Amino acid sequence: MRSVGHFIGGRTVAGTSGREADVFRPATGEVQARVALASADEVRAAIANAAEAQPAWGATNPQRRARVMMRFVDLLNDHMDELAAMLSSEHGKTVPDAKGDVQRGLEVAEFAIGIPHLLKGEYTEGAGPGIDVYSMRQPLGVVAGITPFNFPAMIPMWKFCPAIACGNAYVLKPSERDPSVPVRLAELMLEAGAPPGILNVVQGDKEAVDVLLTDPRVAAVGFVGSSDIASYVYSTAAAHGKRAQCFGGAKNHMIVMPDADMEMAANALVGAGYGSAGERCMAISVAVPVGETAADALMERLVPKVEALRIGPSDDPDADFGPLVTRAAVDKVRRYVDVGVEEGAELVVDGRDFRLQGYEDGFYLGACLFDRVRPDMTIYKEEIFGPVLSVVRAADYDEAVRLPSTHEYGNGVAIFTRDGDTARDFTARVDTGMVGVNVPIPVPIAYHTFGGWKRSGFGDLNQHGPDSVRFFTKTKTVTSRWPGGVKEGADFAMPVMR
Ligand code: NAD
């Protein structure tokens, strides 16, 4: 059986803890590999390697660091098919979707190529007599990231590309469910010219994470995953004096106004609701048509589209979506559907008994669609993270704004309308971090920033874009005076500019 180990100090290293976990092929349900789970000592070894490599890397001029990112982008493009096949086999998402996963990470590497410009500081000439003031951005040192199963290429790259471009060394703890792609990315980063120790990957679980959260050599921690763990990582890292940005779960609503193009809205809902089997943090899981007429018109188009969705193994080019990540995930999502029925929601499309011929042991679940879901129901309040879409019929626009704004999650939201005033009012008032106008999955492009609000995001800086440079650097401000302005003698008053 294949084993997946760590990547420390520029080489792959087998695990020594004696602890391992299964890595499945969700399409067939078989165990395809075993992944090592790091001991505290193995994580400390990765941190030590990073700490040793970082000072020289941080002192390398930013243009040379940018060239490493340029070569990394080229290598990602050269290896796109290989990475997508590897990703899809461990995660279960279709191959085109897996390429999107790599591509959205690659775009952040492209953003990081601009690091010489992004790191330019601020300068004030003549702030006082002979006095100049300037600020510079310096790397933090060793930084760490803990990432989820659902984007095993994109989210690690969102984190380590800007971090490394800023001059830091990185320790990544990816999800133990799809651990191979992160190691391959680290190999490619080495091939691109990053020195050994600048990007390390430790496989593992809570034991590994806890070392990253408490070791004094780690200056900052980034996390993406479920909200309870995001909150734990944020508070533990902060209690140990680290900078932290932690992103959690989601319940993304899509408002459908009566004037929306209903065909466009229905197409957007099936893609954003069921793509990647609903295992995206920006998946739409709640549709909110406004008014009964709009709701009926939407349902009329939506139901046949959901019934026609094609589910297939990850390498089926015609599949709309593939299996879920584990059998436990299928069981959990199916339980939510049972609860929805028990609590009185109308299950209009029931995918619970779906079986894929020839793949009976794969982790499949058919698409499920609920109508007349109420805000007090469990399936509305909690994140399901599967191919389940809930329709909540809102009486009017105010209720449609209130629903996502008062939900405990605040990741993304979308509105479909032809009316500019409504769209403008909605984007200003709604209480979520990312908004789409006639765009169902409003994941911001690489040079803007990504981040949810409320229980979807802990910390005050977002991922990628300008915020990532702020997060991965500390600002030093220098006030200097050269002889022309120096006056004789000591001055005991607080210096002020007159
Ligand atoms: P998860 O919370 O189970 O795991 C995330 C990471 O935390 C993994 O690396 C895992 O090994 C580690 N971990 C697990 N248990 C831990 C513990 N007790 N202590 C410390 N670390 C622990 O999440 P997941 O199932 O891998 O991913 C799905 C979740 O991630 C969903 O809730 C989804 O909404 C969320 N997500 C959010 C975003 C975002 O940007 N907000 C993006 C992608 C995924």
Side-chain angles (χ1 to χ4, degrees):
M1 169 99 29
R2 181 168 65 94
S3 31
V4 186
H6 317 296
F7 191 85
I8 300 176
R11 54 193 189 88
T12 39
V13 184
T16 56
S17 71
R19 294 195 310 125
E20 287 183 334
D22 289 336
V23 180
F24 293 96
R25 185 186 307 278
T28 59
E30 73 195 288
V31 176
Q32 60 165 311
R34 301 271 295 159
V35 60
L37 301 175
S39 65
D41 282 344
E42 288 170 300
V43 182
R44 286 191 200 104
I47 297 171
N49 267 276
E52 199 184 325
Q54 191 276 326
W57 177 245
T60 305
N61 76 55
Q63 214 155 350
R64 292 181 70 156
R65 299 203 298 260
R67 286 188 196 125
V68 170
M69 283 297 152
M70 253 185 261
R71 283 194 291 273
F72 182 58
V73 168
D74 286 344
L75 288 169
L76 291 172
N77 280 315
D78 294 348
H79 291 269
M80 180 63 83
D81 290 343
E82 173 208 337
L83 288 165
M86 185 186 275
L87 194 160
S88 142
S89 101
E90 290 186 358
H91 175 284
K93 64 176 76 174
T94 63
V95 171
D97 197 24
K99 285 187 180 167
D101 189 328
V102 178
Q103 177 66 26
R104 290 302 297 250
L106 179 157
E107 288 168 11
V108 172
E110 287 175 333
F111 165 75
I113 293 171
I115 203 67
H117 176 73
L118 292 163
L119 282 180
K120 283 192 302 198
E122 297 162 345
Y123 193 93
T124 302
E125 183 192 8
I131 294 178
D132 304 319
V133 180
Y134 60 97
S135 303
M136 48 195 174
R137 296 198 161 276
Q138 297 191 324
L140 301 178
V142 177
V143 297
I146 300 129
T147 52
F149 81 86
N150 67 328
F151 284 102
M154 178 184 89
I155 293 180
M157 284 194 270
W158 280 9
K159 297 188 170 302
F160 69 64
C161 290
I164 290 173
C166 286
N168 301 287
Y170 204 86
V171 181
L172 172 68
K173 205 303 285 171
S175 171
E176 60 275 41
R177 288 180 232 161
D178 39 19
S180 296
V181 166
V183 172
R184 193 72 191 104
L185 294 175
E187 288 170 352
L188 295 177
M189 185 62 90
L190 185 79
E191 194 179 331
I198 289 303
L199 177 55
N200 304 277
V201 179
V202 284
Q203 312 288 0
D205 53 10
K206 185 176 188 318
E207 187 170 332
V209 172
D210 283 344
V211 178
L212 296 173
L213 302 184
T214 52
D215 190 294
R217 292 167 295 181
V218 176
V221 174
F223 173 90
V224 178
S226 50
S227 290
D228 286 348
I229 301 175
S231 165
Y232 164 76
V233 169
Y234 182 71
S235 52
T236 310
H240 288 82
K242 301 181 197 318
R243 197 176 277 195
Q245 55 168 198
C246 302
F247 299 94
K251 198 79 180 174
N252 306 312
H253 296 51
M254 184 173 127
I255 315 303
V256 182
M257 295 301 292
D259 68 345
D261 178 330
M262 288 297 160
E263 184 63 16
M264 181 182 170
N267 281 331
L269 276 173
V270 285
Y274 300 97
S276 206
E279 290 177 324
R280 289 184 184 134
C281 63
M282 289 293 269
I284 296 290
S285 49
V286 181
V288 186
V290 176
E292 286 297 320
T293 311
D296 292 343
L298 182 69
M299 291 306 285
E300 198 181 308
R301 286 169 175 80
L302 195 53
V303 173
K305 289 182 196 295
V306 175
E307 285 171 338
L309 284 168
R310 252 191 80 112
I311 302 159
S314 320
D315 57 0
D316 175 352
D318 296 324
D320 294 316
F321 66 89
L324 274 72
V325 68
T326 54
R327 169 68 52 204
V330 175
D331 293 344
K332 180 178 160 204
V333 176
R334 195 185 278 125
R335 261 199 312 281
Y336 269 117
V337 180
D338 294 344
V339 169
V341 173
E342 282 158 26
E343 292 186 353
E346 264 177 43
L347 186 58
V348 185
V349 181
D350 183 355
R352 283 177 293 181
D353 293 329
F354 175 82
R355 298 276 177 281
L356 187 63
Q357 210 178 356
Y359 294 85
E360 283 77 7
D361 293 330
F363 307 144
Y364 297 94
L365 186 67
C368 297
L369 176 65
F370 278 109
D371 194 3
R372 300 187 190 279
V373 174
R374 292 190 319 269
D376 61 332
M377 291 178 176
T378 308
I379 56 167
Y380 176 76
K381 291 191 282 196
E382 297 182 13
E383 181 183 47
I384 298 176
F385 223 56
V388 182
L389 180 64
S390 296
V391 176
V392 179
R393 295 172 173 234
D396 53 27
Y397 170 68
D398 279 342
E399 188 184 353
V401 180
R402 198 164 55 243
L403 282 166
S405 297
T406 52
H407 201 285
E408 69 168 342
Y409 293 116
N411 210 39
V413 71
I415 185 166
F416 275 61
T417 179
R418 290 186 170 100
D419 185 279
D421 279 349
T422 305
R424 189 166 184 278
D425 181 75
F426 182 79
T427 52
R429 280 170 57 193
V430 72
D431 194 12
T432 62
M434 292 168 284
V435 186
V437 177
N438 298 318
V439 172
I441 308 184
V443 176
I445 44 176
Y447 41 98
H448 283 261
T449 72
F450 178 109
W453 292 358
K454 298 180 279 183
R455 274 183 64 74
S456 298
F458 303 80
D460 57 0
L461 287 170
N462 284 351
Q463 302 186 98
H464 62 69
D467 267 12
S468 62
V469 178
R470 294 183 194 111
F471 183 76
F472 288 119
T473 56
K474 52 195 175 193
T475 306
K476 183 179 279 177
T477 306
V478 179
T479 305
S480 69
R481 176 159 60 188
W482 286 96
V486 177
K487 72 177 188 183
E488 297 294 323
D491 187 346
F492 296 95
M494 184 68 188
V496 293
M497 296 300 168
R498 296 190 196 284

